[in-house]
């Protein structure tokens, strides 16, 4: 019988514990997994909004939705409301739902544009169930037989603790201690970690989940970090928690300010808040004042500043080390994609796991896929900053006038000229996502596909009305979000 491959996970935040739990659940009979973490150092402590892909990932690794939600103070998330992004006073929604009904030839927004040209059709956002439910504070997992598309807001600390408990009972060994030294063999592979106090942890494969520090991939293996701050200038955040003063909304709020933006993430028992800004345009004091002046409840924690650099490791997998989570790169939290990237990295690792063979080729494939994925998300995030009419501050002037990647220039021009939008290369952001953000921030097409003109005008009108009526009826049947949570997944602790 072959000996088990020894996997050492360095770091016990969301990335570390999610990796350890996934590996033990799906490949546990082949692997011997140890996780090293330091209570003294702690985790980044933010990362509380997710996207719907998390649900499929959870079911793959056997996480029960109700149990997870009850353990993490979780609420449901149907999308993100963006305030003041296109212009001050604006508000639009990026919802997880489908907007209207597409045909094989044309997207729904193109039918809607034809309707507008004919003088009817209302608001594009009226054709999305998830969006209308969110605005009405309603929620259900299904409407009739139709599944609702949703994600979660959750307490990050509770989530790591929940995964730790499950991992340990499934056989992951946890070692408490600060990694102080890293040893390499003659080929450059990592052979062991030495902890404060001298204990050594040996392994065959090392997963770097040490957060922004990137102790193994960066400090030890010297893999360069590609800096994207010329596109995404934010380099700081201040996070603070507040008391809940209203029933939790089933969506995240993203509120743009004159130099940065603020998140509001409602959990069952409290609200997570923070401001993301660039130190080039705003001082820490000003950022803190802006955040504190725009909270809705009493603070229950001290504001905490975090520093980061947007970008990515040029190789997330190098030698026998795979970086997952913040150690592998960070965009910024605007579209809550970081935990999603942890899950896709884990899936990729499981598919390409180095059981033997040519591991250099496995690493190259891993790195290629990782790069493509990050670049796609990068373009989507940049779009929010760049497609704006705001000219009230040097911050917005910078973003409005900056050079953006060619891939994004092309996408925006195609939409502006022809109304054509397509899903991205990694199928993360659907056509509806791109359309909601582009139109939501004022990028309106000059033209649209002729499919809407194939129907008689009266036929188009009736179809659109029927869609809207069906959505309104469905929303009326849904529960209040807070009531749904109380019966489905009430929190286990009051934290
Ligand atoms: C401001 C901000 C907001 C965010 N919001 C979102 C969001 O809404 N949605 C989302 O998906 N993501 C978000 N993220 C990203 C998200 O927080 C992370 O992707 C996620 O928490 C994973 O972090 P991590 O596990 O990689 O790192 P960390 O949580 O930093 O964990 C690092 C681990 O490494 C350990 N460690 C480090 N050094 C040593 C050492 N020397 N010895 C031993 N152990 C060590 C630490 O103790 C810790 O356990 C946000 C990030 C920031 C900065």
């Amino acid at each position: 019988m072959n000996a088990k491959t020894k996997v050492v996970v360095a770091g016990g935040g969301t990335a570390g514990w999610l990796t350890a739990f996934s590996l033990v659940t799906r490949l546990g009979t082949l692997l011997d997994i140890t996780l090293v973490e330091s209570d003294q150092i702690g985790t980044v402590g933010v990362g509380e909004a997710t996207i719907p892909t998390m649900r499929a990932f959870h079911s793959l690794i056997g996480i029960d939705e109700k149990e997870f939600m009850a353990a993490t103070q979780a609420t449901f998330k149907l999308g993100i409301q963006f305030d003041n992004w296109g212009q001050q006073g604006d508000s639009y929604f990026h919802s997880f739902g489908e907007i209207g009904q597409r045909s094989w030839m044309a997207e729904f927004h193109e039918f809607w544009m034809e309707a507008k040209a004919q003088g009817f059709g209302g608001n594009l956002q009226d054709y999305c169930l998830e969006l209308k439910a969110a605005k009405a504070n309603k929620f259900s997992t299904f409407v009739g037989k139709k599944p609702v598309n949703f994600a979660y807001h959750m307490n990050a600390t509770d989530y790591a603790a929940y995964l730790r408990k499950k991992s340990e009972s499934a056989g992951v060994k946890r070692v408490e201690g600060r990694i102080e030294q890293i040893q390499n063999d003659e080929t450059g592979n990592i052979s062991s970690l030495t902890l404060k106090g001298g204990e050594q942890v040996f392994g065959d494969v090392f997963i770097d989940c040490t957060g922004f520090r990137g102790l193994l991939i960066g400090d030890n293996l010297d893999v360069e970090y590609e800096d994207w701050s010329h596109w995404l200038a934010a380099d700081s955040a201040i996070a603070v928690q507040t008391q809940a003063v209203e029933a939790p909304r089933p969506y995240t709020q993203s509120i743009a300010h004159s130099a940065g933006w603020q998140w509001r993430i409602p959990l069952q028992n409290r609200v997570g808040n923070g401001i993301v800004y660039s130190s080039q345009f705003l001082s820490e004091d000003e950022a803190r004042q802006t955040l504190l002046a725009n909270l809705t409840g009493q603070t229950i924690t001290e504001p905490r500043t975090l520093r980061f650099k947007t970008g990515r490791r040029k190789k997330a997998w190098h030698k026998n080390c795979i970086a997952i989570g913040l150690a592998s790169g960070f965009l910024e939290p605007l579209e809550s994609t970081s935990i999603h990237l942890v899950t896709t990295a884990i899936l990729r690792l499981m598919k390409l796991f180095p059981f033997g063979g040519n591991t250099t080729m496995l690493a190259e494939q891993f790195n290629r896929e990782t790069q493509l994925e990050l670049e796609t998300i990068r373009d989507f995030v940049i779009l929010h900053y760049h497609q704006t009419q705001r000219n009230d501050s040097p911050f917005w002037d910078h973003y409005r006038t900056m050079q953006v990647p060619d891939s994004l220039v092309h996408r925006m021009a195609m939409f502006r000229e022809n109304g054509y939008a397509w899903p991205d290369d990694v199928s993360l952001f659907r056509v509806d996502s791109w359309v909601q953000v582009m139109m939501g921030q004022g990028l309106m097409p000059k033209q649209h596909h002729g499919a809407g003109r194939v129907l008689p005008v009266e036929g188009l009108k009736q179809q659109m009305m029927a869609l809207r009526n069906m959505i309104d009826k469905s929303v009326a049947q849904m529960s209040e979000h807070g009531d749904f949570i109380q019966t489905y997944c009430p929190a286990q602790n009051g934290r």
Side-chain angles (χ1 to χ4, degrees):
M1 200 180 72
N2 288 335
K4 288 186 172 188
T5 305
K6 278 190 164 41
V7 177
V8 177
V9 180
T14 296
W17 282 114
L18 205 50
T19 304
F21 183 63
S22 306
L23 291 178
V24 77
T25 312
R26 302 308 306 233
L27 291 171
T29 49
L30 307 177
L31 309 177
D32 174 353
I33 306 164
T34 303
L35 184 143
V36 183
E37 69 175 326
S38 158
D39 280 343
Q40 227 180 28
I41 294 175
T43 66
V44 71
V46 280
E48 305 202 317
T50 65
I51 59 176
T53 52
M54 190 162 191
R55 292 167 50 211
F57 185 80
H58 271 175
S59 85
L60 208 67
I61 58 172
I63 287 188
D64 176 78
E65 182 170 80
K66 289 183 184 176
E67 180 193 86
F68 142 74
M69 291 190 74
T72 61
Q73 298 282 348
T75 62
F76 294 97
K77 172 179 172 186
L78 292 166
I80 307 175
Q81 179 174 294
F82 288 93
D83 295 336
N84 304 332
W85 281 85
Q87 296 192 42
Q88 272 172 290
D90 265 7
S91 182
Y92 75 95
F93 216 91
H94 172 196
S95 116
F96 296 142
E98 196 177 338
I99 303 189
Q101 260 170 8
R102 61 170 58 84
S103 77
W104 66 268
M105 192 168 23
E107 296 294 332
F108 179 76
H109 70 275
E110 296 171 298
F111 291 93
W112 174 78
M113 288 187 70
E114 181 57 30
K116 295 304 285 179
Q118 299 291 343
F120 60 92
N123 190 328
L124 183 66
Q125 307 219 322
D126 293 342
Y127 296 88
C128 178
L129 170 75
E130 284 79 353
L131 195 155
K132 292 213 77 174
K135 299 283 248 187
N137 252 352
K138 295 286 197 83
F139 186 80
S140 299
T141 47
F142 281 85
V143 176
K145 288 194 172 139
K146 190 181 178 315
V148 171
N149 201 19
F150 62 88
Y152 315 105
H153 301 123
M154 65 187 188
N155 179 311
T157 309
D158 288 349
Y159 187 52
Y162 169 74
L163 291 169
R164 171 180 165 184
K165 197 165 154 199
K166 288 182 91 67
S167 302
E168 287 186 307
S169 52
V172 174
K173 287 189 279 297
R174 175 185 183 272
V175 177
E176 165 63 35
R178 192 186 187 104
I179 303 161
E180 289 207 323
Q181 278 176 19
I182 300 169
Q183 289 74 40
N184 304 77
D185 66 19
E186 60 289 351
T187 66
N189 278 341
I190 296 176
S191 50
S192 63
L193 311 177
T194 305
L195 311 187
K196 187 175 177 193
E199 185 181 348
Q200 253 184 311
V201 183
F202 292 89
D204 304 310
V205 175
F206 288 79
I207 318 287
D208 187 348
C209 296
T210 58
F212 289 128
R213 293 170 187 84
L215 273 187
L216 282 61
I217 197 83
D219 290 3
N220 180 262
L221 294 176
D222 230 5
V223 173
E224 245 182 280
Y225 196 83
E226 189 172 291
D227 183 349
W228 285 348
S229 55
H230 52 292
W231 284 317
L232 292 168
D235 58 8
S236 313
I238 302 176
V240 70
Q241 295 169 9
T242 51
Q243 283 174 349
V245 291
E246 59 180 14
R249 299 180 189 207
Y251 57 92
T252 305
Q253 283 171 275
S254 163
I255 305 154
H257 294 301
S258 60
W261 66 274
Q262 177 185 342
W263 76 78
R264 219 174 260 162
I265 299 178
L267 303 187
Q268 291 189 36
N269 61 332
R270 52 111 170 137
V271 178
N273 310 270
I275 184 165
V276 175
Y277 65 99
S278 160
S279 56
Q280 202 186 321
F281 296 100
L282 200 67
S283 71
E284 188 173 342
D285 271 357
E286 289 169 313
R288 187 183 311 247
Q289 277 165 28
T290 306
L291 175 65
L292 295 178
N294 288 284
L295 298 173
T296 52
Q298 287 289 318
T299 57
I300 50 177
T301 56
E302 276 302 306
R304 200 161 55 88
T305 304
L306 301 146
R307 307 267 179 221
F308 52 84
K309 191 194 277 184
T310 53
R312 67 171 193 107
R313 291 278 164 206
K314 286 197 171 161
K315 292 178 188 173
W317 181 339
H318 185 54
K319 300 285 181 188
N320 63 340
C321 171
I322 298 106
I324 296 185
L326 298 172
S328 68
F330 184 55
L331 284 171
E332 68 144 275
L334 190 53
E335 282 284 351
S336 327
T337 43
S338 226
I339 297 170
H340 162 80
L341 288 168
V342 170
T343 64
T344 54
I346 294 170
L347 293 176
R348 198 171 293 132
L349 173 64
M350 291 201 279
K351 288 185 195 163
L352 297 168
F353 197 88
F355 288 111
N358 185 332
T359 55
T360 308
M361 287 172 78
L362 293 173
E364 281 167 4
Q365 182 67 21
F366 185 96
N367 291 334
R368 223 181 351 260
E369 290 180 20
T370 306
Q371 179 176 355
L372 177 65
E373 185 177 44
L374 265 175
E375 287 177 353
T376 304
I377 298 177
R378 175 198 68 195
D379 280 10
F380 190 58
V381 173
I382 295 173
L383 171 68
H384 297 66
Y385 283 106
H386 183 58
Q387 176 51 46
T388 183
Q389 294 85 58
R390 286 192 68 152
N391 58 4
D392 53 295
S393 65
F395 174 83
W396 291 107
D397 289 343
H398 163 79
Y399 274 113
R400 206 186 55 252
T401 57
M402 77 176 176
Q403 285 268 328
V404 299
D406 290 346
S407 43
L408 181 58
V409 171
H410 173 64
R411 187 181 274 281
M412 291 173 71
M414 182 70 106
F415 192 70
R416 183 183 310 108
E417 298 303 320
N418 306 301
Y420 184 69
W422 62 96
D424 56 54
D425 292 341
V426 295
S427 306
L428 178 59
F429 295 114
R430 307 148 304 139
V431 169
D432 288 346
S433 295
W434 289 97
V435 169
Q436 287 178 88
V437 176
M438 287 194 281
M439 284 192 173
Q441 297 203 187
L443 183 62
M444 294 308 284
K446 296 178 190 160
Q447 261 298 333
H448 56 273
H449 194 279
R453 291 201 297 279
V454 175
L455 284 177
V457 173
E458 213 34 53
L460 180 64
K461 199 178 214 171
Q462 276 176 14
Q463 283 193 15
M464 297 195 67
M465 243 165 59
L467 266 174
R468 279 163 65 164
N469 289 342
M470 196 179 67
I471 288 169
D472 289 345
K473 253 198 199 149
S474 302
V475 171
Q477 287 166 24
M478 295 166 92
S479 311
E480 290 294 320
H481 178 226
D483 294 346
F484 190 90
I485 290 172
Q486 281 319 308
T487 49
Y488 191 79
C489 53
Q492 280 162 0
N493 62 46
R495 196 138 51 107

